[in-house]
Amino acid sequence: MDQRLAPIKLDSYQPLREVVCESLRDAIRKGILKPGERIMEIKLAEELGVSRTPVREAIRKLELEGYVVMMPRRGTYVADMSIRDINEIFEIRTALESLSNGLAAEHITEDELEHLQRLLVIIGGYIKEGDMDKIVETDIEFHDLLYHAARNNRLVGIISNLRDQLTRFRTLSMSYPGRLEATLDEHRAIVEAIANGDDRAARKAAEHHMENSEKTLLKAMDAQKKQQEVPAAKKRAHAGRK
């Protein structure tokens, strides 16, 4: 494994194990540490400039979060999401997003509602500019605000964990043709239902949004897989002619 991780800055107020965990989690989300790749404690400790202890503690936490899997006598690997994994995550998340939106319709404040509406305008602007990084960043802020408006801290924690497990696929999904505009429309429907205090409509809007998100992600993954298979097939054909 080449040097790919930046050394940890030791001036953080957070415990070292948390800083290491954030660094590794971010590397997995961004694809720097790839699905199926073996995690080597010694190498990671060298790259991050820390001892093995915080790396080991961070890996244990990431296992609980679903980012890595530890296999007896074989080592630790970056978790590779299967279609079944994605189905299961969306199945649970759909139910929780529905609950969260319903609660938000009951408990949201005027300031929070205004903030949501403002974020819709901001996201629309970024879509026109084609700024994917800002779109993703603002989309996360939008959903975080919805979660907190539900006024249920445990619910926030559970949903955030499920969402984090799919973060690495967010850009792939949103880049799928037509998905950005559809997402914005779905967000508008959610905000409209919450603004009307209609918890039932808010729940339905959340379920619709999650169902479409899952369908789009699976389509995008399938398209990516086919795109990757073309060069591999050409390479095999070329080798066969030699």
Side-chain angles (χ1 to χ4, degrees):
M1 186 167 58
D2 299 327
Q3 174 74 37
R4 292 172 292 172
L5 306 181
I8 294 292
K9 293 182 180 180
L10 301 178
D11 57 353
S12 174
Y13 66 90
Q14 293 179 293
L16 185 55
R17 64 179 178 278
E18 292 297 329
V19 179
V20 171
C21 191
E22 283 186 11
S23 179
L24 295 179
R25 189 187 293 116
D26 192 51
I28 293 172
R29 288 173 177 172
K30 293 180 178 178
I32 297 172
L33 296 175
K34 302 183 183 303
E37 181 175 331
R38 188 173 183 184
I39 299 292
M40 307 294 289
E41 284 184 15
I42 296 177
K43 180 61 177 176
L44 290 178
E46 290 175 354
E47 289 192 48
L48 297 173
V50 298
S51 69
R52 290 179 64 181
T53 299
V55 172
R56 188 178 302 115
E57 292 173 344
I59 288 173
R60 286 173 183 162
K61 183 174 182 180
L62 291 173
E63 182 188 23
L64 293 175
E65 295 177 357
Y67 282 96
V68 304
V69 290
M70 301 179 72
M71 305 177 70
R73 297 183 297 279
R74 290 185 58 189
T76 303
Y77 297 81
V78 177
D80 192 0
M81 285 281 181
S82 67
I83 300 300
R84 181 176 179 179
D85 292 329
I86 291 172
N87 290 154
E88 289 180 352
I89 290 172
F90 268 106
E91 188 172 43
I92 300 169
R93 189 178 167 192
T94 298
L96 295 180
E97 291 274 354
S98 176
L99 173 60
S100 176
N101 273 22
L103 291 173
E106 297 176 10
H107 302 298
I108 197 166
T109 66
E110 287 296 326
D111 286 343
E112 288 170 335
L113 182 57
E114 184 180 333
H115 190 180
L116 282 177
Q117 292 167 335
R118 189 162 61 248
L119 287 176
L120 290 178
V121 176
I122 293 172
I123 292 174
Y126 288 142
I127 289 175
K128 290 180 180 179
E129 295 170 8
D131 191 335
M132 185 58 73
D133 288 340
K134 288 294 184 181
I135 292 170
V136 170
E137 180 183 317
T138 312
D139 180 75
I140 291 172
E141 183 180 355
F142 176 86
H143 281 282
D144 281 343
L145 182 55
L146 278 176
Y147 302 155
H148 286 286
R151 301 291 183 271
N152 187 314
N153 292 331
R154 285 183 174 80
L155 182 59
V156 171
I158 296 170
I159 296 180
S160 296
N161 179 275
L162 288 169
R163 182 184 64 181
D164 285 349
Q165 292 181 43
L166 294 174
T167 298
R168 73 183 83 162
F169 301 111
R170 186 179 291 269
T171 299
L172 174 65
S173 177
M174 287 189 154
S175 299
Y176 195 78
R179 183 56 194 156
L180 288 177
E181 293 75 12
T183 296
L184 185 56
D185 287 340
E186 291 159 18
H187 283 177
R188 286 180 178 137
I190 289 171
V191 173
E192 181 180 356
I194 290 175
N196 292 333
D198 190 337
D199 63 313
R200 185 173 181 178
R203 288 171 183 263
K204 289 293 183 183
E207 291 165 7
H208 181 65
H209 179 51
M210 284 296 101
E211 287 167 5
N212 285 343
S213 295
E214 180 180 9
K215 288 177 183 177
T216 303
L217 174 56
L218 295 177
K219 287 179 183 178
M221 291 175 67
D222 185 57
Q224 183 185 60
K225 182 180 179 182
K226 289 178 179 177
Q227 188 176 26
Q228 292 171 343
E229 286 174 349
V230 172
K234 288 182 177 179
K235 187 176 180 180
R236 288 194 297 272
H238 180 70
R241 288 195 296 269
K242 287 185 177 180

